[in-house]
């Protein structure tokens, strides 16, 4: 696994600053070299997967989670930090001293991503999606009911927002996918601001870098301000303003 690229995601809640820590890292089959980082429930979950690709995805997500925690709390080692998988598949910290953290994990076939929040009273969800023509047919099936054409990018953006919202609610897709219907996507200055039709208490923000979409769903009580610094989006894309309605 490559060195983690970390970003601080900044929000405002009635004058109070709220921050999330986002980490990305690339991985390949060599991620198995760090399987000793797993402990307890993690070992059992890892062993339950049959496909090598699924094992690697799981392992990469947990390794990156531990690396991100150690970046904050340097006195801990990987085996001091244990996660578990809850009933509907979402990750939790089993280690008591981290139980106040909200954790969301996402991955593509080559990239893992982790979102950490110390505000565990406020639900957040993370998704990453590699924009690829290989996904087009599957995504078209979910979007066909709208009776309109979507670009390849819009298909992935739409799906990524649904995934992020499902993780914020910690239901995954154990509920009907239509619950996460998107009302509006507005592109402003290199980022996408997303509203949901049936989830009035959640918004999402997304951006695209190197053909990978990163999307974070968060409560409407928060106002997204910036990532790392106010010029982050200007660094990855020229300013564009466009509104897309998904009615």
């Amino acid at each position: 696994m490559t060195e983690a690229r970390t970003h601080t995601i900044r929000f405002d809640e009635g004058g109070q600053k709220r921050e999330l820590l986002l980490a990305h890292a690339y991985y390949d089959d060599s991620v198995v070299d760090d399987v000793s980082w797993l402990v307890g429930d993690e070992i059992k979950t890892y062993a339950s997967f049959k496909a090598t690709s699924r094992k690697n995805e799981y392992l990469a997500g947990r390794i990156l989670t531990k690396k991100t925690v150690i970046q904050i709390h340097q006195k801990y080692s990987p085996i001091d930090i244990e996660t578990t998988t809850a009933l509907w598949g979402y990750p939790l910290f089993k280690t008591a001293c981290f139980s106040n953290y909200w954790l969301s994990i996402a991955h593509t076939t080559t990239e893992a991503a982790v979102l950490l929040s110390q505000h565990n009273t406020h639900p957040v969800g993370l998704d990453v999606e590699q924009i690829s023509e290989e996904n087009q047919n599957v995504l078209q099936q979910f979007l066909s009911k709208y009776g309109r054409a979507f670009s390849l990018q819009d298909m992935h953006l739409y799906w990524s927002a649904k995934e992020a919202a499902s993780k914020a609610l910690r239901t995954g897709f154990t509920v009907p996918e239509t619950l996460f219907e998107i009302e509006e996507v507005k592109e402003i200055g290199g980022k996408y601001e997303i509203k949901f039709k049936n989830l009035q208490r959640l918004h999402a923000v997304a951006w695209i870098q190197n053909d990978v979409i990163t999307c974070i769903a968060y409560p409407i009580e928060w106002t997204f301000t910036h990532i790392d610094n106010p010029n982050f989006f200007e660094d990855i894309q020229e300013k564009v303003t466009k509104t897309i309605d998904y009615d």
Side-chain angles (χ1 to χ4, degrees):
M1 176 177 283
T2 62
E3 286 298 313
R5 312 182 310 279
T6 58
H7 301 287
T8 302
I9 317 299
R10 303 182 191 277
F11 297 85
D12 177 84
E13 183 182 10
Q16 297 286 325
K17 293 181 180 180
R18 307 299 186 196
E19 295 182 347
L20 310 178
L21 187 61
L22 171 67
H24 287 261
Y26 293 108
Y27 71 93
D28 56 25
D29 288 345
S30 66
V31 71
V32 73
D33 294 342
D34 291 322
V35 71
S36 61
W37 284 41
L38 301 183
V39 293
D41 285 354
E42 298 167 341
I43 296 173
K44 297 176 184 177
T45 302
Y46 176 77
S48 71
F49 297 120
K50 304 301 182 184
T52 299
S53 59
R54 186 66 187 95
K55 284 178 176 286
N56 289 348
E57 290 168 354
Y58 177 85
L59 183 56
R62 269 55 188 182
I63 291 172
L64 183 57
T65 295
K66 298 183 183 204
K67 284 186 173 184
T68 307
V69 171
I70 291 169
Q71 180 177 328
I72 304 170
H73 303 285
Q74 297 180 1
K75 65 179 181 179
Y76 293 99
S77 72
I79 60 174
D80 293 327
I81 305 162
E82 183 178 356
T83 65
T84 189
T85 303
L87 181 63
W88 291 340
Y90 59 87
L92 293 170
F93 283 106
K94 194 170 184 179
T95 308
C97 58
F98 302 118
S99 61
N100 64 316
Y101 279 79
W102 188 288
L103 171 64
S104 189
I105 300 174
H107 51 75
T108 69
T109 57
T110 58
E111 185 170 0
V114 166
L115 186 68
L116 281 181
S117 171
Q118 296 188 58
H119 313 288
N120 67 353
T121 56
H122 291 58
V124 293
L126 169 69
D127 187 57
V128 292
E129 296 287 338
Q130 177 75 50
I131 299 174
S132 171
E133 291 184 355
E134 293 180 4
N135 302 325
Q136 186 168 359
N137 291 337
V138 174
L139 294 177
Q140 280 179 335
Q141 293 178 19
F142 287 100
L143 300 177
S144 61
K145 59 181 175 288
Y146 295 99
R148 52 157 294 174
F150 288 85
S151 70
L152 186 64
Q153 176 178 294
D154 286 349
M155 287 180 184
H156 287 80
L157 182 63
Y158 183 91
W159 185 253
S160 188
K162 286 174 173 278
E163 286 270 14
S166 77
K167 292 180 180 181
L169 295 184
R170 287 183 163 173
T171 61
F173 289 102
T174 63
V175 297
E177 172 264 333
T178 52
L179 176 65
F180 308 108
E181 184 175 347
I182 293 172
E183 182 174 64
E184 181 185 82
V185 178
K186 183 181 291 184
E187 185 184 358
I188 302 177
K191 69 179 183 300
Y192 298 85
E193 298 178 354
I194 300 162
K195 294 181 180 179
F196 300 93
K197 183 176 182 179
N198 302 314
L199 301 173
Q200 299 299 313
R201 303 299 298 274
L202 278 183
H203 284 174
V205 62
W207 62 96
I208 302 172
Q209 194 170 16
N210 299 324
D211 288 328
V212 173
I213 296 171
T214 301
C215 185
I216 297 172
Y218 60 91
I220 62 168
E221 287 79 8
W222 288 0
T223 300
F224 173 77
T225 57
H226 59 274
I227 300 176
D228 294 337
N229 64 76
N231 298 320
F232 176 83
F233 294 112
E234 294 181 20
D235 293 339
I236 64 172
Q237 185 172 330
E238 292 183 2
K239 286 187 174 181
V240 180
T241 301
K242 180 175 64 175
T243 299
I244 309 169
D245 292 313
Y246 296 92
D247 294 329

